[in-house]
Amino acid sequence: MAEMAVSDGVWTFNGETLRVVPGSGRDVHELRKTLGELVISIEAIAGVTFEPSRKGGHLRLRLRKGADPLTDAVAGSLAAPADPYRLAIPKGRTGAAEYFADEIRDVLTVWQTPSAPSEEFLLPGPAVPITASAGDGTVHFDGERVRLEWTPFAGSAKDEAGPQEFALADLAGVEWKPLTGMGYGSLRFRLKGEGPDKPPQKDPRCVSWGIQKFGGTTALVAAAVLARIPRGLAELPPPPSTPGETETVLRHLAELGELHRSGVLTDEEFSTAKQALLRRLE
């Protein structure tokens, strides 16, 4: 049995499962507290690393693609402190964190966990019913239907459309994007046979936000819906970036750099926005 207990949370590994419990302090993100305790089987784990930093570092868990609806829903865009698969390690515990990571890696070597994507989710996803609010709307999912209601911050297009409700059977997929320096954060529900996307702030199938960095707990709603859409019916991930998109991303990176150098973006905001852009090139 190996355990890593710090103010940010407690990770316990018994050789077959990793138990992840978030901390309860005010510095622990709302999303992690709402998600609560996770029990992750060894077959769902792709790897674990300790990432050192000036203040100590992070333990970071990587799950197999297709094993966890939350990981798939956010497509790697959920950065610390909202990421439940990162644990902040203070300076005095870095050695223990490295040992903990080695313990899991040793077991992964013995188990020879498959590297291929999992054919079914190995984690259940957030419990339902679940509700989240961010920016221009509130979204509620009861396991069978999604309902969107608008806040006073919603634009005229959404006000005119009124509250929206979709049956799970009518959904082809769900897409979650964080707020970046280039645009709104959004939670979009894709209906079978729908037309081209509209801008997030005008799409009545989409909750969007321009202030809350991680969109509150909207990512958990995305994961709860994705976990319940039959795997064969869910939309495939977007195709690799085209040369034209690559040029656009590189231009945006240059613009981000200027904003960072001028002091408009903090180091953390710059890093988060840059990583979100770079993921579009993967």
Side-chain angles (χ1 to χ4, degrees):
M1 178 80 71
E3 182 174 273
M4 193 70 223
V6 293
S7 60
D8 195 41
V10 180
W11 287 16
T12 307
F13 182 62
N14 66 5
E16 295 184 357
T17 61
L18 173 64
R19 180 171 173 260
V20 171
V21 180
S24 57
R26 64 180 182 178
D27 292 334
V28 177
H29 195 275
E30 173 192 13
L31 185 150
R32 293 173 57 204
K33 291 180 179 178
T34 302
L35 182 59
E37 178 181 328
L38 297 169
V39 178
I40 306 165
S41 67
I42 190 70
E43 63 179 328
I45 300 175
V48 61
T49 57
F50 173 68
E51 303 170 343
S53 69
R54 288 181 300 173
K55 296 182 179 180
H58 283 86
L59 272 173
R60 183 177 181 184
L61 187 69
R62 290 187 300 106
L63 301 182
R64 289 172 60 197
K65 184 174 179 58
D68 173 39
L70 177 58
T71 299
D72 283 12
V74 303
S77 298
L78 196 61
D83 187 349
Y85 304 117
R86 290 193 188 193
L87 184 67
I89 305 298
K91 266 189 176 181
R93 303 298 306 281
T94 57
E98 290 175 338
Y99 174 80
F100 186 89
D102 285 341
E103 286 283 296
I104 297 178
R105 282 195 293 265
D106 288 346
V107 174
L108 287 173
T109 300
V110 173
W111 276 66
Q112 296 184 339
T113 303
S115 58
S118 175
E119 295 182 359
E120 61 182 2
F121 288 128
L122 302 177
L123 279 80
V128 294
I130 185 170
T131 300
S133 295
D136 63 10
T138 294
V139 55
H140 176 77
F141 178 54
D142 64 5
E144 296 182 357
R145 303 190 72 83
V146 173
R147 181 172 174 82
L148 304 181
E149 297 179 348
W150 310 119
T151 71
F153 297 104
S156 58
K158 292 183 177 180
D159 277 338
E160 291 171 7
Q164 302 289 300
E165 189 166 298
F166 322 119
L168 182 66
D170 294 331
L171 294 179
V174 58
E175 177 186 82
W176 185 90
K177 292 182 178 179
L179 174 69
T180 70
M182 297 298 104
Y184 285 80
S186 61
L187 168 60
R188 189 191 305 271
F189 298 94
R190 298 190 176 279
L191 299 181
K192 297 173 183 176
E194 72 174 351
D197 290 346
K198 298 178 182 179
Q201 64 272 34
K202 296 182 179 181
D203 189 345
R205 299 181 180 90
C206 180
V207 172
S208 64
W209 54 93
I211 298 177
Q212 294 162 288
K213 188 170 185 182
F214 298 112
T217 58
T218 54
L220 298 184
V221 178
V225 172
L226 185 62
R228 290 161 178 83
I229 297 177
R231 289 291 287 266
L233 300 180
E235 286 187 340
L236 295 174
S241 58
T242 63
E245 183 179 1
T246 299
E247 293 177 4
T248 300
V249 170
L250 293 176
R251 185 173 68 253
H252 286 335
L253 284 171
E255 293 169 353
L256 277 179
E258 288 296 326
L259 292 171
H260 182 232
R261 283 190 289 274
S262 65
V264 174
L265 295 178
T266 65
D267 290 347
E268 186 176 0
E269 289 170 338
F270 171 68
S271 178
T272 299
K274 182 177 73 172
Q275 291 304 317
L277 285 171
L278 291 175
R279 277 190 288 271
R280 290 170 57 181
L281 298 178
E282 294 178 351

